[in-house]
Amino acid sequence: IKHDRIIVHMDTTKWKSLIVPRPVYEQIRSIAEMEDRPISRQIRIIFEQWKEDRVREARQLERGEA
C-alpha cells in the first residue's frame, strides 16, 4: 500500500496556532459560517471588538462614567 503525504509548513513568522476548548471552537466556526467568512477572519473580528470594548471602558473610567 502506497501512502502519499502532503507536508505543509506553516510560516510561524506570520501565523500561529491557537488551542481553544472544543465548544468554543464550534461556536466560533458556527458564527463564521453564518457570517460567510473564514474562521481566521472571524477570530480577528472577535479580537478587534474585544480591544475596542477595552479601550471604550478605559475612556469611561478616565471620565468617571463607570
Side-chain angles (χ1 to χ4, degrees):
I1 298 173
K2 182 180 178 185
H3 295 283
D4 292 325
R5 293 185 187 185
I6 298 174
I7 299 174
V8 177
H9 295 282
M10 182 173 65
D11 178 357
T12 58
T13 63
K14 186 174 180 181
W15 304 101
K16 293 292 183 185
S17 297
L18 296 174
I19 297 175
V20 296
R22 185 70 184 209
V24 171
Y25 169 80
E26 295 295 340
Q27 290 176 26
I28 294 170
R29 185 174 55 88
S30 177
I31 294 167
E33 287 176 3
M34 285 188 286
E35 299 292 331
D36 194 31
R37 61 176 63 107
I39 193 168
S40 60
R41 179 69 182 130
Q42 188 63 46
I43 291 170
R44 286 192 301 270
I45 289 170
I46 291 168
F47 179 66
E48 289 298 324
Q49 184 62 56
W50 177 84
K51 287 193 317 185
E52 289 172 13
D53 290 348
R54 300 298 79 74
V55 169
R56 186 179 319 106
E57 288 174 1
R59 288 182 180 148
Q60 289 173 343
L61 286 172
E62 288 173 357
R63 293 190 300 252
E65 296 176 11

